[in-house]
Amino acid sequence: MYTTYDDSPETAIIVGVITPDTPRWEIRDNLNELEQLARTAGAEVTDRLTQSRTSIDPATFIGSGKVAEIQQLAAQRDADLVIFDDDLSPVQVRNIEQEVDCKVLDRSGLILDIFASRAQTRAAKTQVELAQLQYTRSRLTRRWTHLSRQEGGIGTKGPGEKQIETDRRIIDSRIDKLQEKLEKIDQQRTTQRKARSGHTRVSVVGYTNSGKSTLMNALSDSEVPVEDRLFATLDATTRSVTLGGRREVLMSDTVGFIRKLPHRLIESFKSTLDEVRESDALIHVVDVTHPRFEDHIRVVNETLDELGAADKPMLTVFNKVDNMDDRELLKALQEEYEDAAFISALRGIGLEPMKDDLLEVVERDFVEHVAYVPVTAPEVISYIHQLTDVVSEDYMYARNGEEEADPQAVARMHFRAPEADKARIEDRLQDFGDLTPIPSS
């Protein structure tokens, strides 16, 4: 006996809403992106529908008439799911599903599904599952009653308790376990970041599919997986890159941002996005060939603000210039964004000037210091070499404040360091603050 499986993709109808303050061209572009998300998730979009409304219908989001139209179209197309470009309330999802008789997804649910299919590492899988369960919990209906069989039904039911309440308790229990796992993962990553604290750290950020991983590979001569699809990278990947032939930085690739990125994902990916929060500088990669790249810049900046990283020193890098046919447009952009770099990460165009620009950004807030460190404290001398840019190092004698104190051999260290490292450096030098050099006779 043979069992056959249908490998054909699910078919989907996508839906957008036009409100008085939203121009039609923006809805069109938004639905283009939603269709790309649907394809990334493995669905084939058969139709797209829009509905103009002065206000959102609290029961069905788009109104009963439009729901009836979707029901007819879904029946004709034998559609598997209907995807909305906006987030729906649990009540709206339930009401629409009852009418159209197929699965209904909103934008957050679709992005969560894509993240789940992309997750490879233990950390990514844990982060995505937590976000999915938090999303699912408020959307429980009778179709979730299988949950009781996933984690032993005996002892999970109270007298007279409804199945949905049982499922909710199962989800709550799983959420607690995942949060405990993420706390341990966060502690491990915090330890790893502390081990890298002696290095300058740079995070590569940008809208999804802007070429961040390609740039990482080009700069570090590594093989970070590169795919022409949304959210190809979920885990932060760190590589060593040398700038200006003298400064080594640790560069991390991070998950791509996107319009209406679910807040649950930002919360769940805290340990991954901490790489961005704790970086010394950022590279913002922009796909210059995208017709709405300026909107992408805005979305990334808003997300950085939400992460508390908007004030980081940042180099904006316009990527894929080799695909620009309009050279006059490129020239105009170079004049408008005069502090930005224009490159092709794939072809290696403009990478060396970009690295020089990045070095300038990294060292922009450096402050010069002079310290006297006893030669009997080699670990402190080594620490300064590791954490700072040492300009000069001379050896001489110094006294510890008092005239009659015995002279001791010291290293006079002239160095430059980020303002953010000032407290750490001063803490290591606090025992030597009273040392004063002895003038040579």
Side-chain angles (χ1 to χ4, degrees):
M1 179 179 178
Y2 296 92
T3 302
T4 58
Y5 296 93
D6 185 3
D7 292 331
S8 59
E10 290 184 285
T11 54
I13 298 169
I14 60 176
V15 182
V17 173
I18 303 171
T19 57
D21 58 346
T22 307
R24 287 183 176 272
W25 65 264
E26 185 173 331
I27 296 298
R28 183 191 64 242
D29 288 350
N30 291 346
L31 288 179
N32 287 342
E33 183 175 87
L34 185 66
E35 182 170 348
Q36 189 179 8
L37 285 168
R39 288 200 307 268
T40 300
E44 178 183 326
V45 175
T46 61
D47 300 89
R48 57 171 67 188
L49 298 177
T50 58
Q51 171 73 338
S52 297
R53 292 192 63 87
T54 56
S55 62
I56 298 303
D57 181 4
T60 62
F61 195 77
I62 52 176
S64 57
K66 200 66 174 182
V67 171
E69 181 183 338
I70 293 174
Q71 188 276 327
Q72 293 177 359
L73 184 60
Q76 292 173 5
R77 299 284 193 263
D78 194 22
D80 297 298
L81 65 157
V82 177
I83 306 172
F84 284 74
D85 189 47
D86 297 276
D87 284 346
L88 304 177
S89 71
V91 171
Q92 289 166 341
V93 172
R94 182 173 63 248
N95 290 342
I96 298 170
E97 279 188 341
Q98 288 175 349
E99 294 296 325
V100 302
D101 197 29
C102 67
K103 288 186 294 184
V104 173
L105 269 181
D106 59 13
R107 184 182 177 87
S108 288
L110 179 62
I111 292 175
L112 287 169
D113 185 82
I114 294 170
F115 269 59
S117 68
R118 294 287 184 267
Q120 298 295 324
T121 65
R122 179 174 64 94
K125 290 178 179 178
T126 302
Q127 291 166 328
V128 172
E129 185 183 354
L130 175 60
Q132 281 187 310
L133 287 176
Q134 291 171 333
Y135 173 84
T136 297
R137 188 186 184 282
S138 63
R139 287 165 169 77
L140 289 178
T141 63
R142 291 192 178 277
R143 64 193 177 105
W144 298 101
T145 55
H146 65 283
L147 286 173
S148 62
R149 294 192 292 275
Q150 291 186 7
E151 192 172 315
I154 297 176
T156 61
K157 275 188 184 178
E161 188 174 38
K162 294 180 181 179
Q163 186 63 55
I164 291 177
E165 293 171 353
T166 303
D167 293 344
R168 189 168 285 120
R169 286 201 299 114
I170 294 171
I171 287 179
D172 288 342
S173 175
R174 181 62 179 163
I175 285 175
D176 289 341
K177 291 178 181 178
L178 290 172
Q179 287 175 334
E180 289 177 5
K181 287 177 65 175
L182 280 182
E183 286 179 5
K184 293 179 181 178
I185 291 171
D186 193 33
Q187 291 171 0
Q188 293 169 356
R189 289 188 168 178
T190 298
T191 301
Q192 293 169 356
R193 284 193 293 271
K194 285 181 178 178
R196 302 196 297 262
S197 62
H199 295 80
T200 299
R201 290 177 291 169
V202 177
S203 285
V204 183
V205 300
Y207 209 80
T208 184
N209 208 29
S210 60
K212 300 184 301 300
S213 296
T214 303
L215 179 59
M216 278 280 291
N217 288 341
L219 293 178
S220 62
D221 194 26
S222 58
E223 296 183 358
V224 177
V226 175
E227 300 175 69
D228 184 18
R229 62 181 186 176
L230 303 181
F231 302 120
T233 301
L234 292 190
D235 292 284
T237 304
T238 302
R239 297 288 186 270
S240 176
V241 176
T242 301
L243 304 178
R246 59 185 175 85
R247 174 164 291 281
E248 182 182 1
V249 301
L250 294 180
M251 192 171 292
S252 297
D253 186 15
T254 58
V255 61
F257 301 152
I258 197 169
R259 183 177 57 87
K260 299 179 185 177
L261 186 66
H263 188 72
R264 295 176 187 84
L265 274 176
I266 293 178
E267 291 178 339
S268 297
F269 273 71
K270 175 184 178 298
S271 57
T272 298
L273 293 173
D274 274 345
E275 291 285 351
V276 177
R277 294 186 187 94
E278 298 183 16
S279 292
D280 299 298
L282 304 176
I283 298 175
H284 180 179
V285 182
V286 181
D287 179 359
V288 73
T289 65
H290 196 284
R292 293 188 63 187
F293 73 85
E294 290 178 319
D295 188 47
H296 290 182
I297 292 174
R298 177 187 57 78
V299 169
V300 171
N301 288 338
E302 288 175 353
T303 307
L304 289 174
D305 187 54
E306 186 175 355
L307 293 174
D311 60 342
K312 298 282 184 184
M314 182 165 64
L315 174 66
T316 301
V317 175
F318 287 94
N319 190 25
K320 308 183 185 181
V321 296
D322 54 313
N323 291 333
M324 289 189 70
D325 296 326
D326 190 341
R327 309 316 289 180
E328 289 300 318
L329 175 59
L330 176 59
K331 183 178 179 181
L333 288 173
Q334 289 172 329
E335 292 176 356
E336 182 179 357
Y337 297 91
E338 57 182 15
D339 293 329
F342 290 79
I343 69 163
S344 168
L346 184 63
R347 297 181 179 274
I349 299 171
L351 292 185
E352 289 305 317
M354 191 219 85
K355 290 165 74 172
D356 292 339
D357 291 342
L358 179 59
L359 180 61
E360 182 179 333
V361 169
V362 166
E363 296 185 344
R364 187 174 295 162
D365 69 337
F366 274 31
V367 178
E368 295 199 15
H369 304 265
V370 174
Y372 298 90
V373 184
V375 296
T376 54
E379 72 284 355
V380 178
I381 296 175
S382 176
Y383 178 82
I384 291 177
H385 273 283
Q386 184 183 40
L387 192 65
T388 74
D389 183 9
V390 176
V391 178
S392 64
E393 182 176 347
D394 303 302
Y395 289 85
M396 59 188 63
Y397 285 96
R399 285 192 174 91
N400 193 9
E402 301 177 3
E403 190 70 31
E404 61 273 12
D406 292 334
Q408 54 182 308
V410 298
R412 179 189 182 275
M413 306 195 71
H414 176 199
F415 57 89
R416 302 166 65 243
E419 182 68 25
D421 291 334
K422 181 179 179 180
R424 281 193 294 171
I425 295 171
E426 289 180 346
D427 182 62
R428 295 300 295 265
L429 295 174
Q430 62 179 343
D431 293 338
F432 317 125
D434 292 335
L435 283 171
T436 55
I438 300 174
S440 57
S441 54

